[in-house]
Each structure stands twice: as structure tokens, then as C-alpha cells.
Amino acid sequence: MKILLYGGSFDPPHNGHLNNLRAAADRVHPDKIVVMPAGTSPFKEGTNASGALRLEMCRCFAALAQEPGMPPLEVSGWEVAQAAAGSRNYTVLTLEMLARENPGAVLYLAIGSDMLLSFEGWHRWQDILRLARVVVTSRDIGDAPALHAKAKLLDPSGGRILFAPVQALPMASSQLRARLAAGEECEAELPEEVRSVIRREGLYGTQKEVADKWI
């Protein structure tokens, strides 16, 4: 059994995330995909939306499972629950959990190109490469030479880091948060399921949606 893990803050999840995950799945053809919103990312000060709301927004990933050739997809709240219990989030711990719960499974980890370039800063990064094959999707056009050089440095054997060809959709959650705060809808970048939660909760500085009330 092959399991593809895709983690991130997803604050909010956007079409670039879906695009990269689709490309990673096309590269390795997993039997199952696990989308894992981080509780508290070791690389960021914190998240703008709560873990519960980011989990809800990540329901947008379910649409991928309906596409031809895509495997079943699960959105897991394990890291959010770990953070709520006071534990730090490290990808290596999530991979160890998946290995325990799925004995004999071959694990894959989908990451963006920026994450590969900073991979040596990840907690126990050598163990990550031991536990899983890393599938790298490109976020920026023209970054392939730097990525391949980094992969060779991290993985001289050449068997643990794979590349997924993708037509990059350059967008970042931080930029989308700023645009949302400025009053933009970001329809081209955000699935409707995500925008619905943002409107309902007034996330990222947007005006909170007020339900009609009958008196």
C-alpha cells in the first residue's frame, strides 16, 4: 500500500495546494492520500485561523478524490489534536505515526519546492528521508536546476527524492490573506468551500457574514 502525505498550515488552502497535490499523486499513484493541516508549524509564529476552521476549509481537497484516477483522500486532524494537547508539530512524528498505523506501507511526502531548499532545517530530516520518499512539486517557474542540485546534495543515492512535473500556479496563503483583508474575494484562487468558511467566520480581516433573522 502506498500512502501520500500532504501537510501544511493551509491558512487558507488554495488552488495552488490542490494543483500541487494532484501533480504529486499523478507522479506516484498512491492508494491513499492523507491531507494533514499542521497544528502549530515549527516554521511559523502561528496561524491566523484555528485548527478546527483550517480542518473545515481543507474539505475542499475532497474534490480531488472525485477526479478520474485519484485514490481515496482523508483529511486528518491528528496534528491539530497534538497541538491542542501541547505537543510541537514535526513532520517526522507524523510519518512515524503513519508507519505505526499502516505496517508495511510505502510512505510518500509531498512538498513544495521552497520546502526542499530549506529541508536541512527540518527536525530530523535524515529520518524523514528514511521513512518516506519525498515528492517535490515546483511552485516557481524556472527553479528546476536549483532543486535538482539540492536533491543530489541531500540524497546522493538518488532514490529518496522524486520530482512531480507541474504547471506552477504561483500563489501564497500570506498574499491571499492580505488580498482578503483588502476586500477582494479571490475567486480564482480559493475554492468556494474555503471562501464560504472565510465569509461565515470573518477570517483574515474580512467582514463576518451576518445571517438573516426573522423577528
Side-chain angles (χ1 to χ4, degrees):
M1 181 179 186
K2 296 191 292 187
I3 299 175
L4 175 63
L5 171 66
Y6 188 41
S9 297
F10 301 127
D11 193 22
H14 52 67
N15 288 331
H17 291 132
L18 273 70
N19 187 55
N20 283 354
L21 179 54
R22 184 184 294 111
D26 286 345
R27 175 66 176 82
V28 300
H29 301 290
D31 299 292
K32 178 181 178 181
I33 295 172
V34 178
V35 173
M36 185 77 68
T40 303
S41 170
F43 299 102
K44 300 179 181 179
E45 291 298 321
T47 52
N48 292 270
S50 69
L53 290 176
R54 288 182 293 109
L55 272 170
E56 184 178 357
M57 287 190 286
C58 280
R59 291 177 182 171
C60 68
F61 284 100
L64 290 181
Q66 307 305 314
E67 297 180 4
M70 292 293 284
L73 185 148
E74 168 194 348
V75 177
S76 173
W78 187 80
E79 286 192 8
V80 169
Q82 292 294 300
S87 300
R88 290 291 300 276
N89 281 156
Y90 292 113
T91 299
V92 67
L93 301 181
T94 302
L95 289 169
E96 288 176 339
M97 178 275 292
L98 290 173
R100 287 194 305 270
E101 294 192 351
N102 302 274
V106 178
L107 303 180
Y108 294 85
L109 171 66
I111 66 173
S113 58
D114 55 337
M115 292 288 97
L116 181 67
L117 295 175
S118 61
F119 197 71
E120 288 160 305
W122 291 37
H123 182 62
R124 293 171 53 198
W125 66 267
Q126 297 96 332
D127 287 332
I128 293 176
L129 288 179
R130 177 181 56 81
L131 289 161
R133 292 173 175 84
V134 175
V135 186
V136 182
T137 55
S138 174
R139 290 186 177 183
D140 300 304
I141 298 170
D143 61 3
L147 292 178
H148 285 276
K150 188 68 172 184
K152 188 174 182 180
L153 180 66
L154 296 170
D155 176 35
S157 70
R160 307 301 294 180
I161 299 178
L162 313 175
F163 289 91
V166 63
Q167 182 175 356
L169 297 178
M171 62 184 71
S173 294
S174 58
Q175 296 171 352
L176 295 176
R177 291 194 298 267
R179 290 173 55 191
L180 289 163
E184 294 187 41
E185 289 289 330
C186 300
E187 295 99 331
E189 294 84 9
L190 297 175
E192 171 55 29
E193 298 94 327
V194 175
R195 288 187 286 120
S196 176
V197 175
I198 291 171
R199 291 193 302 266
R200 188 192 74 211
E201 300 294 331
L203 297 176
Y204 313 121
T206 62
Q207 185 174 355
K208 189 171 184 178
E209 193 174 63
V210 179
D212 293 332
K213 295 182 179 180
W214 293 91
I215 298 178

